[in-house]
């Protein structure tokens, strides 16, 4: 059975209304309901007040506005400006989904004003509605559901796990395993890999908590395999230059900086864990073996190029090695040599893989991005030491990039449904401890889960419809 979508029209006894009557299958009282290709529902309401109430409750996916009696489209322009002033993430409808129908060609100034607001389609004759609605039906047809998980270190991994547990509670465990594509960067690559391998968030959560389950327990010391070998190798390679130490303080500082290894930790244990899980509890440690389509973002250390491992030509390495390279954030984790390149953390060049996901046709894009700087009183960050200050600076740089990139992508792909999860105040507090504390902050998981449930609850009417049209039928409300 086709899923329903809503198109709203406002107008009073106009040519537009009569045109829709000719397309009507059935109607009742003061509204007209009918379907177009794909089962999309068109609804006619006869007052601007009714239109606004439907927009406010997020029941509208396409808005056709009868501007045949609107002098030069002034009322519609005012309405579009109201929508345009709203924060992008809370808009009930994207301007590109709003179509005014005029009785005559609007003035150039009106068209320019509408274009600046993001209006892409203008009808000059109500008879155009049939072809316009057919075109909209093709734009709205669900094609691909995609999950993008950003980096954020071990705390970010805990946050994203909480988000996934919230989605699992609402959609059921199998729904999270039926996304068409999974993209992961750094810590997010670990979770994306396990989902693509057919392993649920609950399985991984039990492994962190130490509860009995199918996956082996993840000990606190797993990420902290000190890079002593790298340090010793650097010291030995620099012994030939010790004669320069007495020449000047500058020479000494240059020697010290060259001795410091590129990573305090190796990250080998995480790679070994992922390899073991994929081999013993999954389909195997290769991109081709995974039932879900996986892409892992990394950065070429020498060129600054962002690379998607898993794409054709970049999918021959074991998945566990790709995950290891994606989380190699220098100077915490050592870079990885693979395919003739030195690869480091993908977060350096890209916050999320939203752009390639959209280019590949995502119609539902779920993003979890924990790389949000903690907000505190003056001196809050400084009181926690230099390492914490570096992490806060890094998060601020990454988040600023995301704030500029994501709204641009939402404008470029107005017919894609976006669902963004970021830490809110309540889930930021557990993430404000020392970034090098020995152990995982499992207390982040429940706060992140509660935050994600609240976000879904605020937009549930729209999200429920979006999930259902993509074959992700909810099993309960958030």
């Amino acid at each position: 059975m086709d899923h329903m979508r809503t198109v709203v029209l406002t107008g009073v006894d106009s040519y537009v209304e009569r045109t829709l009557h000719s397309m009507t299958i059935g109607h009742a009282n003061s509204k007209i309901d009918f379907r177009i290709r794909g089962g999309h529902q068109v609804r006619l309401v006869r007052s601007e007040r009714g239109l606004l109430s439907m927009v406010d409750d997020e029941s509208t996916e396409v808005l056709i506005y009868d501007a045949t009696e609107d002098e030069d489209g002034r009322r519609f322009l005012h309405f579009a400006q109201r929508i345009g002033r709203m924060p992008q993430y809370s808009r009930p409808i994207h301007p590109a989904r709003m179509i005014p129908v005029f009785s005559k060609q609007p003035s150039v100034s009106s068209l320019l004003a509408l274009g600046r607001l993001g209006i892409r389609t203008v009808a000059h004759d109500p008879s155009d509605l049939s072809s316009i609605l057919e075109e909209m039906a093709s734009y709205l047809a669900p094609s691909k559901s995609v999950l993008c998980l950003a980096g954020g270190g071990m705390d970010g991994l805990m946050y994203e796990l909480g988000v996934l547990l919230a989605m699992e509670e609402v959609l059921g465990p199998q729904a999270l395993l039926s996304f068409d594509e999974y993209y992961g960067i750094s810590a997010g690559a670990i979770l994306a890999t396990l989902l693509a391998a057919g392993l649920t968030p609950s399985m991984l959560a039990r492994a962190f908590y130490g509860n009995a389950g199918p996956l082996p327990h993840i000990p606190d010391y797993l990420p902290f395999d000190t890079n002593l070998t790298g340090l010793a190798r650097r010291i030995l390679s620099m012994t030939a230059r010790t004669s320069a130490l007495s020449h000047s303080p500058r020479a000494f500082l240059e020697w010290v900086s060259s001795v410091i290894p590129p990573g305090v930790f190796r990250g080998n244990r995480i790679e070994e864990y992922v390899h073991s899980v994929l081999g013993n509890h999954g389909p195997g440690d290769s991109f081709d073996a995974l039932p879900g389509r996986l892409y892992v973002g990394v950065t070429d250390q020498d060129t600054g190029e962002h690379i998607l491992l898993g794409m054709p030509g970049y999918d021959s390495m074991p998945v566990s090695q790709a995950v290891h390279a994606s989380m190699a954030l220098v100077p915490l984790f050592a870079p990885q040599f693979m395919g003739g390149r030195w690869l480091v953390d993908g977060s350096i060049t890209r916050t999320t893989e939203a752009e390639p996901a959209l280019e590949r046709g995502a119609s539902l894009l779920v993003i979890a991005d924990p790389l949000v700087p903690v907000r505190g009183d003056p001196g809050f960050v400084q009181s926690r030491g230099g390492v914490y200050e570096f992490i806060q600076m890094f998060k601020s740089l990454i988040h600023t990039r995301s704030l500029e990139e994501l709204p641009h992508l939402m404008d470029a792909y107005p017919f894609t449904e976006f669902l963004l999860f970021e830490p809110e105040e309540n889930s930021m507090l557990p993430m404000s401890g020392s970034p090098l504390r020995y152990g995982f902050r499992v207390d982040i998981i429940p706060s992140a889960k509660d935050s994600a449930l609240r976000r879904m609850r605020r937009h549930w009417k729209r999200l429920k419809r979006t999930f259902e049209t993509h074959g992700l039928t909810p099993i309960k409300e958030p």
Side-chain angles (χ1 to χ4, degrees), residues 249-287:
R250 178 179 177 179
F252 175 76
L253 291 175
E254 290 178 351
W255 183 86
V256 170
S257 65
S258 60
V259 166
I260 297 174
V264 178
F265 306 108
R266 295 181 300 163
N268 290 358
R269 289 176 184 164
I270 295 178
E271 177 183 331
E272 292 165 0
Y273 182 88
V274 173
H275 174 75
S276 173
V277 167
L278 293 179
N280 298 326
H281 305 275
D285 191 7
S286 70
F287 283 96

Side-chain angles (χ1 to χ4, degrees), residues 189-382:
I190 300 175
L191 294 173
T193 295
L194 297 182
L195 288 172
L199 305 172
T200 67
S202 293
M203 294 179 184
L204 187 59
R206 290 164 69 181
F208 276 109
Y209 282 118
N211 300 335
L215 302 183
H217 173 56
I218 301 176
D220 285 339
Y221 59 79
L222 187 72
F224 304 108
D225 49 345
T226 309
N227 191 19
L228 295 177
T229 303
L231 177 59
R233 187 182 298 116
R234 282 296 181 102
I235 293 176
L236 290 174
S237 67
M238 298 304 298
T239 52
R241 295 177 55 188
T242 54
S243 59
L245 298 183
S246 59
H247 292 176
S248 68
R250 178 179 177 179
F252 175 76
L253 291 175
E254 290 178 351
W255 183 86
V256 170
S257 65
S258 60
V259 166
I260 297 174
V264 178
F265 306 108
R266 295 181 300 163
N268 290 358
R269 289 176 184 164
I270 295 178
E271 177 183 331
E272 292 165 0
Y273 182 88
V274 173
H275 174 75
S276 173
V277 167
L278 293 179
N280 298 326
H281 305 275
D285 191 7
S286 70
F287 283 96
D288 290 338
L290 299 177
R293 201 75 195 117
L294 173 69
Y295 302 98
V296 175
V298 297
T299 300
D300 186 315
Q301 187 180 41
D302 295 297
T303 66
E305 177 188 0
H306 190 87
I307 302 169
L308 264 184
L309 303 181
M311 295 289 283
Y314 297 97
D315 56 356
S316 60
M317 73 290 295
V319 175
S320 58
Q321 290 184 14
V323 171
H324 189 173
S326 184
M327 56 171 289
L329 179 61
V330 178
L332 297 179
F333 289 92
Q336 298 300 299
F337 188 75
M338 191 182 305
R341 300 172 182 246
W342 284 101
L343 303 178
V344 294
D345 197 307
S347 299
I348 296 172
T349 45
R350 190 174 285 167
T351 306
T352 72
E353 301 294 355
E355 185 170 5
L358 291 165
E359 290 173 349
R360 291 173 57 82
S363 54
L364 168 61
L365 184 59
V366 180
I367 302 172
D369 179 14
L371 280 170
V372 177
V374 174
R375 301 182 185 94
D377 297 327
F380 176 83
V381 173
Q382 189 178 36

Side-chain angles (χ1 to χ4, degrees), residues 159 161-163 165-166 169 444-454:
Y159 170 81
L161 181 55
V163 169
L165 288 171
E169 181 176 306
I444 295 174
I445 297 175
S447 64
K449 178 181 177 182
D450 291 342
S451 175
L453 288 171
R454 282 195 301 273

Side-chain angles (χ1 to χ4, degrees), residues 72-290:
D72 211 16
R74 295 181 186 277
R75 288 195 298 271
F76 177 74
L77 184 61
H78 176 75
F79 175 76
Q81 288 171 338
R82 173 181 171 178
I83 297 295
R85 285 193 296 267
M86 295 180 179
Q88 198 140 7
Y89 300 121
S90 59
R91 285 179 183 173
I93 186 171
H94 192 282
R97 300 187 182 197
M98 303 190 326
I99 306 169
V101 183
F102 295 97
S103 58
K104 61 181 181 179
Q105 173 76 29
S107 66
V108 173
S109 60
S110 294
L111 290 175
L112 289 174
L114 293 172
R116 284 194 295 268
L117 292 171
I119 307 299
R120 298 186 179 186
T121 306
V122 173
H124 302 153
D125 191 317
S127 62
D128 296 335
L129 284 175
S130 178
S131 60
I132 289 174
L133 290 175
E134 281 290 299
E135 186 177 8
M136 286 296 168
S138 65
Y139 290 155
L140 293 168
S143 57
K144 187 181 292 185
S145 56
V146 176
L147 182 64
C148 284
L149 302 176
M154 295 303 107
D155 285 0
L157 191 151
M158 297 294 102
Y159 170 81
E160 291 177 333
L161 181 55
V163 169
L164 293 175
L165 288 171
M167 293 187 66
E168 183 181 62
E169 181 176 306
V170 172
L171 300 175
Q174 291 306 309
L176 281 178
L177 306 182
S178 62
F179 276 69
D180 294 294
E181 293 179 350
Y182 301 88
Y183 293 79
I185 293 178
S186 194
I190 300 175
L191 294 173
T193 295
L194 297 182
L195 288 172
L199 305 172
T200 67
S202 293
M203 294 179 184
L204 187 59
R206 290 164 69 181
F208 276 109
Y209 282 118
N211 300 335
L215 302 183
H217 173 56
I218 301 176
D220 285 339
Y221 59 79
L222 187 72
F224 304 108
D225 49 345
T226 309
N227 191 19
L228 295 177
T229 303
L231 177 59
R233 187 182 298 116
R234 282 296 181 102
I235 293 176
L236 290 174
S237 67
M238 298 304 298
T239 52
R241 295 177 55 188
T242 54
S243 59
L245 298 183
S246 59
H247 292 176
S248 68
R250 178 179 177 179
F252 175 76
L253 291 175
E254 290 178 351
W255 183 86
V256 170
S257 65
S258 60
V259 166
I260 297 174
V264 178
F265 306 108
R266 295 181 300 163
N268 290 358
R269 289 176 184 164
I270 295 178
E271 177 183 331
E272 292 165 0
Y273 182 88
V274 173
H275 174 75
S276 173
V277 167
L278 293 179
N280 298 326
H281 305 275
D285 191 7
S286 70
F287 283 96
D288 290 338
L290 299 177

Side-chain angles (χ1 to χ4, degrees), residues 16-30:
V16 174
E17 183 180 346
R18 292 196 297 274
T19 300
L20 286 177
H21 267 295
S22 68
M23 300 165 60
T24 300
I25 293 175
H27 64 89
N29 300 328
S30 62

